[in-house]
Amino acid sequence: MLYSLALLIGIIAGLRAMTAPAAVAWGAYLGWLPVAGTWASFMGHWVAVGIFTILAIVELVTDQLPSTPSRKVPMQFGARIIAGAFSGAVIGATAGVTMVGLGAIGAVIGTLGGAEVRSRLAAAFGKDPPAAFIEDAVAIIGGLLIVAAVA
């Protein structure tokens, strides 16, 4: 089950790069993710929670702007893969398992699949912001549910 959750948190990172680490940081901070004594113990500190939460909010706001680059450009795509790999690794750290690859694979799936779904939603609504809000809701709620499932 832990492997599935690492893959799913990677998919969330593919949708919203900073939402996945923010969800993982909150899970560690609230004690849902037992990361104490692991390399990922810093994720349970309030500073990590604050940094990742601010980055997630900034990403949510900037994604609504018309000048936001495509998630498929190398810089955006790479950031999502790194965020997914990191988030999957933190989930794996709760059981002492290395799962960097599963989070990265999930991020690729989430990035490519999310871009396709978002373009279809934008076409259905006639504009992009409603599609972005749906994507935001899925990423935030999904990230929190995945972290809660690890607990």
Side-chain angles (χ1 to χ4, degrees), residues 22-145:
V24 169
W26 274 102
Y29 181 74
L30 295 172
W32 298 351
L33 294 176
V35 294
T38 70
W39 66 267
S41 61
F42 71 94
M43 289 298 281
H45 196 275
W46 67 267
V47 173
V49 170
I51 289 169
F52 285 116
T53 300
I54 289 169
L55 289 172
I57 291 169
V58 167
E59 182 184 24
L60 291 174
V61 171
T62 58
D63 191 53
Q64 314 303 320
L65 303 174
S67 61
T68 303
S70 166
R71 70 183 68 211
K72 293 181 184 178
V73 299
M75 185 85 140
Q76 298 280 334
F77 196 45
R80 292 171 191 281
I81 291 171
I82 291 168
F86 174 73
S87 299
V90 171
I91 287 179
T94 64
V97 180
T98 303
M99 292 192 283
V100 173
L102 285 173
I105 291 167
V108 171
I109 294 167
T111 300
L112 298 177
E116 180 64 28
V117 169
R118 182 166 175 172
S119 65
R120 289 179 186 217
L121 283 172
F125 287 114
K127 51 187 169 179
D128 197 41
F133 290 132
I134 292 169
E135 190 176 48
D136 294 345
V138 167
I140 292 168
I141 294 167
L144 292 176
L145 289 175

